[in-house]
């Protein structure tokens, strides 16, 4: 799936290249966290559950947190793009065990795909360019859940809508390369199916400080 996203971002750049030379392909990583949210559903072993989960991000453990972004700048201010983020969240051991799960995580990952719009202030501070953006799309997490009774769910699912907003600053190293830092917030509404006729519903929000590099076409 990650190869498909990268190919789509490249296609966006190539397809729009005839209309504008302002094309960018960016890659980033950073520190991603997720606040508490409720997890509810039907338990694969019978009954239902409803618990507040203090999700852990563990950004630098394998597989790491990262993202890819393709952007077409129509002019000096307005841009559009496609973005893929490989975020991840783990339910703490004690909290998932309390509701009867041996595993409960989206770690390969909480994959978010959005179509974005951006506004920038080109070279506002010499070679520094501040920007803001936001987008809507889909959550396609890798659902990794195992009940205490042994029912195991392990695979990708389209679980619901996703939203992202971001703000950052880029710095031009040359005409072809730039580096950037940004804050990014994402929201996804996830409704997953579990083996054994179980379900998992949770709204996950992430906060991230991203650092990356951009190649310009």
């Amino acid at each position: 799936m990650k190869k498909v996203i990268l190919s789509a971002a490249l296609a966006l750049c190539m397809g729009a290249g005839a209309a504008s030379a302002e094309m960018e392909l960016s890659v980033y990583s950073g520190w991603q966290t997720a606040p508490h949210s409720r997890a509810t559903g039907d338990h694969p072993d019978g009954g239902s559950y409803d618990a507040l989960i203090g999700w852990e991000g563990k950004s630098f453990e394998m597989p790491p947190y990262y993202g890819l972004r393709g952007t077409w700048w129509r002019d000096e201010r307005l841009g559009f793009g496609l973005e893929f983020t490989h975020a991840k969240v783990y339910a703490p051991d004690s909290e998932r065990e309390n509701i009867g799960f041996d595993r409960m995580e989206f770690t390969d990952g909480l994959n978010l795909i959005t179509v974005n719009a951006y506004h920038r202030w080109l070279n506002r501070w010499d070679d520094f360019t501040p920007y803001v953006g936001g987008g809507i799309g889909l959550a396609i997490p890798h659902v990794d859940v195992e009940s205490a009774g042994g029912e195991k769910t392990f695979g990708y699912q389209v679980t619901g809508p996703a939203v992202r907003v971001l703000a950052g600053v880029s710095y031009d190293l040359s005409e072809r390369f730039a580096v950037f830092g940004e804050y990014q917030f994402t929201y996804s509404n996830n409704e997953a199916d579990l083996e054994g006729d179980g379900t998992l519903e949770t709204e996950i929000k992430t906060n991230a400080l991203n650092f990356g590099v951009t190649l310009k076409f």
Side-chain angles (χ1 to χ4, degrees), residues 96-107:
R96 60 171 171 72
E97 289 170 359
N98 286 341
I99 55 175
F101 288 100
D102 288 342
R103 292 175 68 88
M104 180 186 285
E105 57 190 58
F106 303 131
T107 50

Side-chain angles (χ1 to χ4, degrees), residues 69 83 85 164-166 182-186 207-208 210:
R69 179 187 303 156
E83 184 164 355
T85 303
R164 83 170 79 237
V165 294
L166 56 98
E182 67 184 26
Y183 164 77
Q184 186 171 128
F185 168 85
T186 70
N207 296 285
N210 297 331

Side-chain angles (χ1 to χ4, degrees), residues 21-135:
E22 285 288 336
M23 304 304 308
E24 296 180 348
L25 182 62
S26 304
V27 59
Y28 59 82
S29 186
W31 181 48
Q32 171 249 308
T33 64
H36 290 65
S37 68
R38 301 207 73 83
T40 63
D42 296 321
H43 205 290
D45 299 335
S48 61
Y49 61 95
D50 184 340
L52 187 65
I53 303 297
W55 302 104
E56 299 174 347
K58 301 182 182 180
S59 305
F60 305 110
E61 295 186 12
M62 294 299 294
Y65 162 77
Y66 69 89
L68 301 169
R69 179 187 303 156
T71 307
W72 167 40
W73 292 102
R74 294 191 57 188
D75 54 38
E76 290 190 354
R77 293 178 296 175
L78 182 63
F80 298 96
L82 181 69
E83 184 164 355
F84 166 78
T85 303
H86 179 278
K88 54 184 195 161
V89 292
Y90 301 73
D93 293 350
S94 60
E95 295 178 8
R96 60 171 171 72
E97 289 170 359
N98 286 341
I99 55 175
F101 288 100
D102 288 342
R103 292 175 68 88
M104 180 186 285
E105 57 190 58
F106 303 131
T107 50
D108 195 26
L110 179 63
N111 302 300
L112 307 176
I113 303 171
T114 60
V115 177
N116 298 349
Y118 308 95
H119 188 281
R120 66 179 177 179
W121 293 264
L122 188 63
N123 302 130
R124 181 67 176 267
W125 305 303
D126 295 326
D127 291 328
F128 289 91
T129 296
Y131 60 89
V132 295

Side-chain angles (χ1 to χ4, degrees), residues 172-192:
D172 289 334
L173 298 175
S174 67
E175 291 184 356
R176 294 293 303 277
F177 292 96
V179 293
F180 63 92
E182 67 184 26
Y183 164 77
Q184 186 171 128
F185 168 85
T186 70
Y187 165 88
S188 60
N189 183 46
N190 298 276
E191 298 183 5

